Structures are given as C-alpha cells and as structure tokens.
mmCIF file of all heavy atoms in Angstrom:
data_model
loop_
_atom_site.group_PDB
_atom_site.id
_atom_site.type_symbol
_atom_site.label_atom_id
_atom_site.label_comp_id
_atom_site.label_asym_id
_atom_site.label_seq_id
_atom_site.Cartn_x
_atom_site.Cartn_y
_atom_site.Cartn_z
ATOM 1 N N THR A 1 -61.076 -1.222 17.338
ATOM 2 C CA THR A 1 -61.015 -0.825 15.939
ATOM 3 C C THR A 1 -59.931 0.213 15.718
ATOM 4 O O THR A 1 -59.827 1.199 16.417
ATOM 5 C CB THR A 1 -62.361 -0.224 15.489
ATOM 6 O OG1 THR A 1 -62.663 0.906 16.296
ATOM 7 C CG2 THR A 1 -63.478 -1.250 15.627
ATOM 8 N N THR A 2 -59.087 -0.025 14.737
ATOM 9 C CA THR A 2 -58.095 0.953 14.300
ATOM 10 C C THR A 2 -58.110 0.981 12.782
ATOM 11 O O THR A 2 -58.638 0.083 12.134
ATOM 12 C CB THR A 2 -56.680 0.587 14.787
ATOM 13 O OG1 THR A 2 -56.366 -0.739 14.340
ATOM 14 C CG2 THR A 2 -56.596 0.628 16.300
ATOM 15 N N SER A 3 -57.529 2.019 12.214
ATOM 16 C CA SER A 3 -57.536 2.139 10.767
ATOM 17 C C SER A 3 -56.619 1.105 10.137
ATOM 18 O O SER A 3 -55.479 0.917 10.558
ATOM 19 C CB SER A 3 -57.084 3.539 10.353
ATOM 20 O OG SER A 3 -56.923 3.616 8.961
ATOM 21 N N SER A 4 -57.108 0.418 9.123
ATOM 22 C CA SER A 4 -56.302 -0.570 8.420
ATOM 23 C C SER A 4 -55.614 0.057 7.210
ATOM 24 O O SER A 4 -54.825 -0.591 6.536
ATOM 25 C CB SER A 4 -57.190 -1.735 7.969
ATOM 26 O OG SER A 4 -58.219 -1.260 7.118
ATOM 27 N N VAL A 5 -55.947 1.329 6.929
ATOM 28 C CA VAL A 5 -55.394 1.978 5.746
ATOM 29 C C VAL A 5 -54.146 2.771 6.096
ATOM 30 O O VAL A 5 -53.138 2.711 5.395
ATOM 31 C CB VAL A 5 -56.457 2.913 5.109
ATOM 32 C CG1 VAL A 5 -55.866 3.623 3.903
ATOM 33 C CG2 VAL A 5 -57.689 2.114 4.709
ATOM 34 N N LEU A 6 -54.200 3.520 7.186
ATOM 35 C CA LEU A 6 -53.096 4.391 7.556
ATOM 36 C C LEU A 6 -52.043 3.626 8.353
ATOM 37 O O LEU A 6 -52.362 2.870 9.258
ATOM 38 C CB LEU A 6 -53.614 5.562 8.381
ATOM 39 C CG LEU A 6 -54.605 6.494 7.663
ATOM 40 C CD1 LEU A 6 -55.219 7.443 8.663
ATOM 41 C CD2 LEU A 6 -53.923 7.261 6.550
ATOM 42 N N ASN A 7 -50.800 3.840 8.012
ATOM 43 C CA ASN A 7 -49.695 3.221 8.752
ATOM 44 C C ASN A 7 -48.639 4.288 8.966
ATOM 45 O O ASN A 7 -47.794 4.526 8.101
ATOM 46 C CB ASN A 7 -49.117 2.036 7.984
ATOM 47 C CG ASN A 7 -48.005 1.339 8.767
ATOM 48 O OD1 ASN A 7 -47.628 1.782 9.855
ATOM 49 N ND2 ASN A 7 -47.479 0.257 8.220
ATOM 50 N N ILE A 8 -48.701 4.944 10.113
ATOM 51 C CA ILE A 8 -47.767 6.042 10.360
ATOM 52 C C ILE A 8 -46.485 5.554 11.021
ATOM 53 O O ILE A 8 -45.695 6.348 11.525
ATOM 54 C CB ILE A 8 -48.422 7.153 11.198
ATOM 55 C CG1 ILE A 8 -48.901 6.637 12.553
ATOM 56 C CG2 ILE A 8 -49.569 7.791 10.441
ATOM 57 C CD1 ILE A 8 -49.418 7.743 13.463
ATOM 58 N N SER A 9 -46.262 4.241 10.987
ATOM 59 C CA SER A 9 -45.004 3.687 11.469
ATOM 60 C C SER A 9 -44.088 3.318 10.305
ATOM 61 O O SER A 9 -42.898 3.095 10.495
ATOM 62 C CB SER A 9 -45.256 2.451 12.336
ATOM 63 O OG SER A 9 -46.018 2.783 13.477
ATOM 64 N N ASN A 10 -44.648 3.242 9.108
ATOM 65 C CA ASN A 10 -43.884 2.856 7.922
ATOM 66 C C ASN A 10 -43.320 4.096 7.234
ATOM 67 O O ASN A 10 -44.078 4.983 6.831
ATOM 68 C CB ASN A 10 -44.785 2.083 6.955
ATOM 69 C CG ASN A 10 -44.045 1.648 5.713
ATOM 70 O OD1 ASN A 10 -43.895 2.426 4.777
ATOM 71 N ND2 ASN A 10 -43.590 0.409 5.708
ATOM 72 N N PRO A 11 -41.993 4.189 7.071
ATOM 73 C CA PRO A 11 -41.383 5.398 6.503
ATOM 74 C C PRO A 11 -41.913 5.754 5.115
ATOM 75 O O PRO A 11 -42.219 6.921 4.853
ATOM 76 C CB PRO A 11 -39.893 5.057 6.467
ATOM 77 C CG PRO A 11 -39.718 4.062 7.575
ATOM 78 C CD PRO A 11 -40.968 3.250 7.575
ATOM 79 N N GLN A 12 -42.024 4.771 4.238
ATOM 80 C CA GLN A 12 -42.484 5.068 2.890
ATOM 81 C C GLN A 12 -43.938 5.534 2.885
ATOM 82 O O GLN A 12 -44.306 6.466 2.165
ATOM 83 C CB GLN A 12 -42.329 3.832 1.995
ATOM 84 C CG GLN A 12 -42.503 4.114 0.508
ATOM 85 C CD GLN A 12 -41.496 5.133 -0.024
ATOM 86 O OE1 GLN A 12 -40.332 5.144 0.373
ATOM 87 N NE2 GLN A 12 -41.956 6.017 -0.914
ATOM 88 N N ALA A 13 -44.758 4.894 3.727
ATOM 89 C CA ALA A 13 -46.162 5.292 3.813
ATOM 90 C C ALA A 13 -46.284 6.712 4.351
ATOM 91 O O ALA A 13 -47.142 7.492 3.902
ATOM 92 C CB ALA A 13 -46.925 4.322 4.703
ATOM 93 N N LEU A 14 -45.433 7.064 5.305
ATOM 94 C CA LEU A 14 -45.459 8.421 5.854
ATOM 95 C C LEU A 14 -45.086 9.456 4.802
ATOM 96 O O LEU A 14 -45.699 10.518 4.716
ATOM 97 C CB LEU A 14 -44.500 8.516 7.045
ATOM 98 C CG LEU A 14 -45.071 8.212 8.427
ATOM 99 C CD1 LEU A 14 -43.992 8.312 9.490
ATOM 100 C CD2 LEU A 14 -46.191 9.179 8.750
ATOM 101 N N MET A 15 -44.089 9.152 4.019
ATOM 102 C CA MET A 15 -43.681 10.087 2.968
ATOM 103 C C MET A 15 -44.802 10.293 1.960
ATOM 104 O O MET A 15 -45.082 11.414 1.533
ATOM 105 C CB MET A 15 -42.407 9.582 2.293
ATOM 106 C CG MET A 15 -41.169 9.683 3.170
ATOM 107 S SD MET A 15 -39.680 8.998 2.403
ATOM 108 C CE MET A 15 -39.555 9.976 0.925
ATOM 109 N N GLN A 16 -45.447 9.204 1.569
ATOM 110 C CA GLN A 16 -46.546 9.313 0.622
ATOM 111 C C GLN A 16 -47.710 10.116 1.214
ATOM 112 O O GLN A 16 -48.385 10.857 0.501
ATOM 113 C CB GLN A 16 -47.014 7.919 0.220
ATOM 114 C CG GLN A 16 -45.993 7.149 -0.610
ATOM 115 C CD GLN A 16 -46.424 5.725 -0.921
ATOM 116 O OE1 GLN A 16 -47.457 5.264 -0.434
ATOM 117 N NE2 GLN A 16 -45.630 5.030 -1.729
ATOM 118 N N LEU A 17 -47.917 9.970 2.519
ATOM 119 C CA LEU A 17 -49.006 10.667 3.185
ATOM 120 C C LEU A 17 -48.849 12.178 3.104
ATOM 121 O O LEU A 17 -49.837 12.924 3.048
ATOM 122 C CB LEU A 17 -49.081 10.218 4.652
ATOM 123 C CG LEU A 17 -50.335 10.594 5.443
ATOM 124 C CD1 LEU A 17 -51.581 9.982 4.811
ATOM 125 C CD2 LEU A 17 -50.205 10.130 6.889
ATOM 126 N N VAL A 18 -47.598 12.658 3.083
ATOM 127 C CA VAL A 18 -47.353 14.103 3.014
ATOM 128 C C VAL A 18 -46.994 14.559 1.603
ATOM 129 O O VAL A 18 -46.561 15.698 1.406
ATOM 130 C CB VAL A 18 -46.255 14.529 4.012
ATOM 131 C CG1 VAL A 18 -46.640 14.142 5.421
ATOM 132 C CG2 VAL A 18 -44.896 13.943 3.640
ATOM 133 N N GLY A 19 -47.152 13.653 0.622
ATOM 134 C CA GLY A 19 -46.953 14.038 -0.772
ATOM 135 C C GLY A 19 -45.549 13.888 -1.302
ATOM 136 O O GLY A 19 -45.171 14.558 -2.273
ATOM 137 N N LEU A 20 -44.745 13.005 -0.684
ATOM 138 C CA LEU A 20 -43.387 12.759 -1.159
ATOM 139 C C LEU A 20 -43.276 11.335 -1.693
ATOM 140 O O LEU A 20 -43.588 10.380 -0.984
ATOM 141 C CB LEU A 20 -42.372 12.955 -0.029
ATOM 142 C CG LEU A 20 -42.130 14.392 0.451
ATOM 143 C CD1 LEU A 20 -41.193 14.379 1.662
ATOM 144 C CD2 LEU A 20 -41.541 15.254 -0.657
ATOM 145 N N SER A 21 -42.815 11.189 -2.923
ATOM 146 C CA SER A 21 -42.616 9.853 -3.493
ATOM 147 C C SER A 21 -41.219 9.334 -3.216
ATOM 148 O O SER A 21 -40.996 8.128 -3.057
ATOM 149 C CB SER A 21 -42.885 9.868 -5.000
ATOM 150 O OG SER A 21 -42.064 10.839 -5.632
ATOM 151 N N THR A 22 -40.250 10.263 -3.138
ATOM 152 C CA THR A 22 -38.871 9.902 -2.824
ATOM 153 C C THR A 22 -38.287 10.933 -1.864
ATOM 154 O O THR A 22 -38.789 12.054 -1.751
ATOM 155 C CB THR A 22 -38.000 9.859 -4.086
ATOM 156 O OG1 THR A 22 -38.025 11.159 -4.714
ATOM 157 C CG2 THR A 22 -38.510 8.805 -5.076
ATOM 158 N N ALA A 23 -37.223 10.549 -1.203
ATOM 159 C CA ALA A 23 -36.557 11.470 -0.288
ATOM 160 C C ALA A 23 -35.846 12.562 -1.073
ATOM 161 O O ALA A 23 -35.310 12.307 -2.169
ATOM 162 C CB ALA A 23 -35.559 10.720 0.584
ATOM 163 N N PRO A 24 -35.823 13.782 -0.575
ATOM 164 C CA PRO A 24 -35.108 14.860 -1.270
ATOM 165 C C PRO A 24 -33.610 14.589 -1.299
ATOM 166 O O PRO A 24 -33.071 13.863 -0.456
ATOM 167 C CB PRO A 24 -35.441 16.100 -0.431
ATOM 168 C CG PRO A 24 -35.847 15.577 0.900
ATOM 169 C CD PRO A 24 -36.477 14.252 0.655
ATOM 170 N N SER A 25 -32.931 15.178 -2.262
ATOM 171 C CA SER A 25 -31.499 14.912 -2.446
ATOM 172 C C SER A 25 -30.630 15.633 -1.423
ATOM 173 O O SER A 25 -29.491 15.230 -1.181
ATOM 174 C CB SER A 25 -31.078 15.333 -3.859
ATOM 175 O OG SER A 25 -31.398 16.705 -4.078
ATOM 176 N N THR A 26 -31.150 16.689 -0.818
ATOM 177 C CA THR A 26 -30.386 17.423 0.199
ATOM 178 C C THR A 26 -31.090 17.319 1.549
ATOM 179 O O THR A 26 -32.319 17.249 1.614
ATOM 180 C CB THR A 26 -30.240 18.906 -0.180
ATOM 181 O OG1 THR A 26 -31.546 19.474 -0.360
ATOM 182 C CG2 THR A 26 -29.453 19.055 -1.469
ATOM 183 N N PRO A 27 -30.325 17.305 2.644
ATOM 184 C CA PRO A 27 -30.931 17.175 3.978
ATOM 185 C C PRO A 27 -31.870 18.336 4.300
ATOM 186 O O PRO A 27 -31.674 19.466 3.834
ATOM 187 C CB PRO A 27 -29.712 17.184 4.915
ATOM 188 C CG PRO A 27 -28.566 16.785 4.064
ATOM 189 C CD PRO A 27 -28.853 17.329 2.704
ATOM 190 N N VAL A 28 -32.886 18.026 5.086
ATOM 191 C CA VAL A 28 -33.859 19.018 5.538
ATOM 192 C C VAL A 28 -33.772 19.099 7.061
ATOM 193 O O VAL A 28 -33.907 18.079 7.746
ATOM 194 C CB VAL A 28 -35.287 18.641 5.106
ATOM 195 C CG1 VAL A 28 -36.284 19.649 5.661
ATOM 196 C CG2 VAL A 28 -35.381 18.555 3.593
ATOM 197 N N THR A 29 -33.554 20.287 7.592
ATOM 198 C CA THR A 29 -33.409 20.478 9.039
ATOM 199 C C THR A 29 -34.692 21.059 9.625
ATOM 200 O O THR A 29 -35.258 22.006 9.083
ATOM 201 C CB THR A 29 -32.235 21.423 9.355
ATOM 202 O OG1 THR A 29 -31.024 20.855 8.856
ATOM 203 C CG2 THR A 29 -32.109 21.637 10.859
ATOM 204 N N ILE A 30 -35.143 20.454 10.727
ATOM 205 C CA ILE A 30 -36.293 21.006 11.449
ATOM 206 C C ILE A 30 -35.887 21.239 12.902
ATOM 207 O O ILE A 30 -35.089 20.491 13.472
ATOM 208 C CB ILE A 30 -37.533 20.086 11.392
ATOM 209 C CG1 ILE A 30 -37.224 18.709 12.000
ATOM 210 C CG2 ILE A 30 -38.039 19.946 9.976
ATOM 211 C CD1 ILE A 30 -38.460 17.820 12.133
ATOM 212 N N THR A 31 -36.427 22.298 13.485
ATOM 213 C CA THR A 31 -36.187 22.615 14.890
ATOM 214 C C THR A 31 -37.369 22.131 15.716
ATOM 215 O O THR A 31 -38.525 22.298 15.322
ATOM 216 C CB THR A 31 -35.993 24.121 15.086
ATOM 217 O OG1 THR A 31 -37.078 24.823 14.464
ATOM 218 C CG2 THR A 31 -34.684 24.577 14.456
ATOM 219 N N VAL A 32 -37.077 21.540 16.872
ATOM 220 C CA VAL A 32 -38.118 20.968 17.725
ATOM 221 C C VAL A 32 -37.921 21.453 19.154
ATOM 222 O O VAL A 32 -36.820 21.355 19.705
ATOM 223 C CB VAL A 32 -38.074 19.420 17.701
ATOM 224 C CG1 VAL A 32 -39.096 18.838 18.669
ATOM 225 C CG2 VAL A 32 -38.316 18.901 16.286
ATOM 226 N N TRP A 33 -38.992 21.983 19.742
ATOM 227 C CA TRP A 33 -38.982 22.322 21.166
ATOM 228 C C TRP A 33 -39.664 21.199 21.928
ATOM 229 O O TRP A 33 -40.827 20.878 21.689
ATOM 230 C CB TRP A 33 -39.724 23.639 21.404
ATOM 231 C CG TRP A 33 -38.858 24.843 21.165
ATOM 232 C CD1 TRP A 33 -37.621 24.865 20.604
ATOM 233 C CD2 TRP A 33 -39.190 26.198 21.481
ATOM 234 N NE1 TRP A 33 -37.156 26.154 20.542
ATOM 235 C CE2 TRP A 33 -38.094 26.987 21.080
ATOM 236 C CE3 TRP A 33 -40.287 26.815 22.056
ATOM 237 C CZ2 TRP A 33 -38.082 28.372 21.246
ATOM 238 C CZ3 TRP A 33 -40.274 28.197 22.217
ATOM 239 C CH2 TRP A 33 -39.177 28.965 21.826
ATOM 240 N N ASN A 34 -38.920 20.626 22.856
ATOM 241 C CA ASN A 34 -39.340 19.440 23.594
ATOM 242 C C ASN A 34 -39.690 19.840 25.028
ATOM 243 O O ASN A 34 -38.916 20.518 25.695
ATOM 244 C CB ASN A 34 -38.178 18.431 23.558
ATOM 245 C CG ASN A 34 -38.295 17.305 24.554
ATOM 246 O OD1 ASN A 34 -38.678 17.485 25.703
ATOM 247 N ND2 ASN A 34 -37.909 16.119 24.131
ATOM 248 N N SER A 35 -40.857 19.406 25.506
ATOM 249 C CA SER A 35 -41.295 19.766 26.861
ATOM 250 C C SER A 35 -41.449 18.546 27.757
ATOM 251 O O SER A 35 -42.196 18.563 28.733
ATOM 252 C CB SER A 35 -42.629 20.531 26.790
ATOM 253 O OG SER A 35 -43.628 19.751 26.152
ATOM 254 N N TYR A 36 -40.760 17.462 27.422
ATOM 255 C CA TYR A 36 -40.871 16.226 28.195
ATOM 256 C C TYR A 36 -40.116 16.302 29.523
ATOM 257 O O TYR A 36 -39.164 17.068 29.683
ATOM 258 C CB TYR A 36 -40.311 15.050 27.399
ATOM 259 C CG TYR A 36 -41.205 14.559 26.279
ATOM 260 C CD1 TYR A 36 -40.769 14.586 24.963
ATOM 261 C CD2 TYR A 36 -42.470 14.048 26.545
ATOM 262 C CE1 TYR A 36 -41.573 14.115 23.931
ATOM 263 C CE2 TYR A 36 -43.277 13.576 25.527
ATOM 264 C CZ TYR A 36 -42.824 13.611 24.223
ATOM 265 O OH TYR A 36 -43.627 13.151 23.203
ATOM 266 N N SER A 37 -40.533 15.427 30.450
ATOM 267 C CA SER A 37 -39.826 15.262 31.722
ATOM 268 C C SER A 37 -38.614 14.359 31.500
ATOM 269 O O SER A 37 -38.397 13.847 30.391
ATOM 270 C CB SER A 37 -40.756 14.626 32.756
ATOM 271 O OG SER A 37 -41.072 13.288 32.367
#
C-alpha cells in the first residue's frame, strides 16, 4: 500500500504541496550540506 494522493515525483504537484501555484519570477538559492559516501 502506498498513497494514491501524494506524488512527490511530479514537479507541479510538489509546488502545490508547499503552497506554490507558479514558479517565482526570480531564482531561489538554497544551500545543502551533503554527507553521502
């Protein structure tokens, strides 16, 4: 069983999930610390 409602692989669905209907007009930069091998 997996959720049939949530689709966190679809870009538009992801944006809607966080409250965005459209992409912002200016780029947004995020910093990420990666601990992978």
Side-chain angles (χ1 to χ4, degrees):
T1 59
T2 56
S3 172
S4 59
V5 178
L6 298 170
N7 183 357
I8 59 174
S9 298
N10 180 277
Q12 192 60 38
L14 270 178
M15 289 177 59
Q16 292 176 355
L17 193 61
V18 302
L20 289 175
S21 56
T22 59
S25 56
T26 57
V28 177
T29 299
I30 59 173
T31 51
V32 176
W33 277 10
N34 165 319
S35 58
Y36 285 119
S37 66

